Amino acid sequence: MKRFIYIVAALTLSISMSAQTSDYLRRYNLLLDRVGPSGVGMETLINNWAKDYPVDADMLQARFYFYLSKAQSTEVITRSEGRYMGMSPVLSLKDSTGTDVHYYQLLKYDDPLFAEAVKALDSAISLYPERLDFRFLKANAYLSYERESPDMTLSNILGLVHEFMNSDIDWKYYGASASEPTLIDRDAFAKLIQEYCYSLYSLATPASYDAFLKLSQRMNEYYPKNTDFLGNLGSYYMVVKKDYKSAFRFYDKALKIKPDEVSIIKNAMYAARASKNVKLEKKYLKMLVRYADDEQTRLMAQGRLDGLNAK
């Protein structure tokens, strides 16, 4: 799958200067640097800020980060798998029987405090429905909270997709420390949602793969000629279902639209190799030789193609 600038996987602890710079915002940023989003003095500052400016966007975002940070703690779990939720273990040992035991450090959340964080963000969304950064913060929070079963995450993102595609709102995104918003059009929105597709795919759990499929299918309905979502569907059938015939159908549809899409050519080649279809592998190797975006890839593809032709 093609990657874009990764903006959605991690929960950032910065706050954007989205409104007119205020004394409270200045004091918040100074305190944030010293004690973090939920350190000593932060709750008092945010409460006073709320009394004076109850609908201030930055105040509501600060309150969200306060409760989110308070809700978070870490735990270490053991798994037999060498990767879990897209992560490598922090430590791997063998037990008394010689079996590998892998240790993973994960975030966990206090439910009431997490609910307060979402409540603050819901208030911000209600007051500023055009701000995509608030929508994405909510989706990010759910994605982190739910771990391997992103049901609320999927529901939240699908709701946002429906609203974006069926409204005339001038959608805006404030990046970290941005004083002016970026206007988000349909193309930019598709790229942002592709990041969520990637995040769901990377979790590599049955529930996350299912969410990845549903989100990719919905985006494909709205963007039938977008090769990223076609590629997503091909990857789902290749990796998850081992249904190579269906994978080729989506890969080939994408390559008819954009024949030089190297990432999709590579995935189609891997699917051909996995299905032991030499004829198709040669087809995609020829395309890779033609469209490779670096010399090493081109030479490797040519070498593989020469080897197959020599048999």
Side-chain angles (χ1 to χ4, degrees), residues 37-101:
S38 59
V40 175
M42 191 61 85
E43 185 173 19
T44 299
L45 174 62
I46 294 171
N47 286 340
N48 290 335
W49 193 355
K51 288 178 184 177
D52 290 342
Y53 301 96
V55 297
D56 185 87
D58 290 323
M59 179 278 295
L60 291 167
Q61 191 176 0
R63 176 160 282 171
F64 162 75
Y65 283 128
F66 173 80
Y67 282 113
L68 188 74
S69 178
K70 293 282 284 187
Q72 290 177 338
S73 59
T74 60
E75 64 176 345
V76 175
I77 67 168
T78 60
R79 305 281 297 191
S80 60
E81 304 98 312
R83 288 187 67 81
Y84 176 59
M85 291 174 52
M87 297 182 295
S88 298
V90 296
L91 179 67
S92 296
L93 300 172
K94 291 186 181 295
D95 64 14
S96 59
T97 66
T99 302
D100 289 328
V101 180

Side-chain angles (χ1 to χ4, degrees), residues 138-159:
K138 186 174 181 179
N140 293 350
Y142 279 143
L143 188 60
S144 180
Y145 175 78
E146 292 184 292
R147 293 187 179 177
E148 67 267 25
S149 299
D151 299 326
M152 290 187 295
T153 304
L154 176 64
S155 177
N156 183 264
I157 298 172
L158 288 177

Side-chain angles (χ1 to χ4, degrees), residues 160-178:
L160 174 59
V161 169
H162 177 80
E163 187 176 355
F164 185 96
M165 300 303 297
N166 295 280
S167 72
D168 55 2
I169 295 175
D170 291 329
W171 296 91
K172 301 174 182 177
Y173 182 88
Y174 284 86
S177 301

Side-chain angles (χ1 to χ4, degrees), residues 138-279:
K138 186 174 181 179
N140 293 350
Y142 279 143
L143 188 60
S144 180
Y145 175 78
E146 292 184 292
R147 293 187 179 177
E148 67 267 25
S149 299
D151 299 326
M152 290 187 295
T153 304
L154 176 64
S155 177
N156 183 264
I157 298 172
L158 288 177
L160 174 59
V161 169
H162 177 80
E163 187 176 355
F164 185 96
M165 300 303 297
N166 295 280
S167 72
D168 55 2
I169 295 175
D170 291 329
W171 296 91
K172 301 174 182 177
Y173 182 88
Y174 284 86
S177 301
S179 58
E180 295 295 330
T182 299
L183 295 178
I184 303 297
D185 61 15
R186 284 174 60 103
D187 289 341
F189 183 72
K191 293 177 182 180
L192 294 171
I193 296 300
Q194 172 67 354
E195 288 293 339
Y196 282 103
C197 291
Y198 181 84
S199 296
L200 293 168
Y201 181 86
S202 296
L203 289 175
T205 67
S208 72
Y209 280 140
D210 184 62
F212 165 75
L213 173 65
K214 290 176 180 176
L215 182 56
S216 297
Q217 287 175 326
R218 182 63 53 83
M219 292 302 289
N220 179 241
E221 292 171 4
Y222 285 116
Y223 297 83
K225 294 187 177 181
N226 185 300
T227 57
D228 295 310
F229 303 121
L230 289 168
N232 288 356
L233 295 171
S235 295
Y236 174 82
Y237 285 104
M238 176 178 69
V239 174
V240 181
K241 292 298 185 180
K242 303 295 187 291
D243 179 353
Y244 301 111
K245 182 178 180 180
S246 295
F248 292 135
R249 178 162 56 89
F250 287 108
Y251 288 146
D252 286 341
K253 188 178 292 187
L255 291 173
K256 284 183 180 179
I257 297 168
K258 193 173 182 182
D260 61 347
E261 186 68 78
V262 172
S263 62
I264 293 178
I265 296 172
K266 286 181 178 179
N267 285 340
M269 179 193 67
Y270 295 142
R273 189 176 301 173
S275 62
K276 296 181 171 53
N277 191 323
V278 175
K279 182 179 178 180

